Amino acid sequence: MRAFITSAIGVTCSAALVLPNAAPAGAAPDTSATAATEAADPAEVSGATQSLPLSPLPDASTRSTDAPSGTAEPNAVQGLTRRDVHPFSLVGVVWDDADVELHGAVEVRTRAIGSDRWSDWQDLETHNAEHAADPGSAERDSGTVRGSTAPLWVGNCDGVEVRVIPEAPDGHDRATARLPLPEGLRLELVDPGEDPQQSPAANTDEGDFEAAGAEFADLASGSGSRLATSLQASLQGSDRTSLQAAGRGRVLPASSKAQTEERTEAEAGVAPGSKPYIGPRPTIITRKGWGADEKLREKSFAYTKSVKAAFIHHSATGNKYTCSQAPSVLRGIYRYHVKSSGWRDIGYNFAVDKCGNIYEGRAGGVTKAVQGAHTLGFNTDSMGIAVLGTFTTSDPPAAAVNAIAKLTAWKLGLFGANPSSRTTLVSGGGNRFKKGTKVKLNVISGHRDGFATECPGTRLYKKLGSARTSSAHLQGR
């Protein structure tokens, strides 16, 4: 990503995990025929997306005298004036053709629910195409993919204003000439829905608690009696909340290095004592744990042959979230990737929040080589890890960097990859390497290593060296 959120946020929207789908009292949300609102079945996982078409804004310097009234000129400033809308927490802009780049600035202002104050103008990252499926892949050629900005997390809001300002061609003044904007610009307002931890359906009883140990004993039974015994012992020492979460499939609990190696040996049919270089499996919050609506994504999965490298990203959604809100941020990104951008699933294989919590991303199995849509040209034989936030000028928390090391030590170890070494990947096409080019990359690379972009932000990129060292150490190298 070449540009990032730089505007100061004067008023961020209040952060709530439970977002009502109805309009706030006294508000008059956009109900025009051109405004589309998609909502989930309230009896199931909640959440909704409002899609509002953008139109020309008053701007004398770009309006031609012969243009029909209301016509969206390609080089005119487009947007929406201030208006009340249904509650949302994440915002982005999309357009019809994913192969067309938006040359311009996208700025939004929002109003928190229950407030009459508006935020300062906030920038959306417009150069987002590099987070996508590879050219020529089934996902990219599905006919559903749209161009899109990066989404921005704003908290719980019910008011919005947006403007898209075209760039001037090189050597020209913006007042006299502007580049055309993509066709079909629409504002996407995402309500990520109710947090599963707060849902009445998430309430537990003694049966859930007692079932947790039995469930994980069953899971371990296929990996040898010693592992089953050790897992049961670790579960007996776990706290009640962890057991309840594990019993409901919300958390894949951590295991020691010995347990991880033993399970891998058993599953791979390797003789015990071969000492594979695999780090201990960290605790992973599953898709169920962060509340992914599995009806949104495609039912099938896509896999590659191996995981030879990990690309580190930042989500560019801003840093104005708390760790308790991270599941809501993830649900917002997931819905934006699928419903707004037209992808088959969330693009990243894993996500990490500022507190170091690790989340399962794209569906298909955390131990498998699931093909993501995260690094354009290098989604084959790799995985993408997104740290939630923006780290261009802000340092990533140490907990997040440590989580990268733990996750890569385990997952790369499953495929025999050394975090401190280099590997060769074949480019699927991009702005840095032509399709078919064999590229030597660090096993733990930043997004910018495979594509000309600022991602994962200068401050996070500088931390990757220490992440490599820590990851290799956790593997026992």
Side-chain angles (χ1 to χ4, degrees), residues 21-22 24 35 104 153 197 203 208 210 259 263 270 287 302 306 325 333 342 365 372 389 438 441 456 460:
N21 284 323
W153 174 262
Q197 303 290 344
N203 292 335
D208 293 324
E210 298 298 333
Q259 292 169 347
R263 169 174 289 188
V270 177
R287 289 172 63 91
S306 183
Q325 294 172 326
I333 295 173
K438 293 183 179 180
L441 294 162
L460 177 55

Side-chain angles (χ1 to χ4, degrees), residues 137-158:
S137 65
E139 182 172 2
R140 178 73 178 192
D141 296 340
S142 64
T144 64
V145 178
R146 306 177 188 91
S148 61
T149 68
L152 176 67
W153 174 262
V154 293
N156 200 7
C157 299
D158 62 0

Side-chain angles (χ1 to χ4, degrees), residues 1-2 4 130-131 310-316 319 348 374-375 385-396 404 444-464 468:
M1 295 181 183
R2 292 178 295 192
F4 291 88
E130 59 265 34
H131 295 83
F311 285 99
I312 310 304
H313 305 257
H314 66 178
S315 63
N319 301 321
Y348 308 112
H374 49 83
T375 306
I385 303 170
V387 181
L388 300 181
T390 305
F391 303 106
T392 310
T393 58
S394 298
D395 288 325
I404 292 172
I444 298 179
S445 286
H447 186 180
R448 64 174 63 179
D449 295 322
F451 198 96
T453 172
E454 288 295 327
C455 185
T458 300
R459 297 294 183 89
L460 177 55
Y461 188 76
K462 289 181 177 179
K463 298 293 184 180
L464 297 188
R468 294 183 192 106

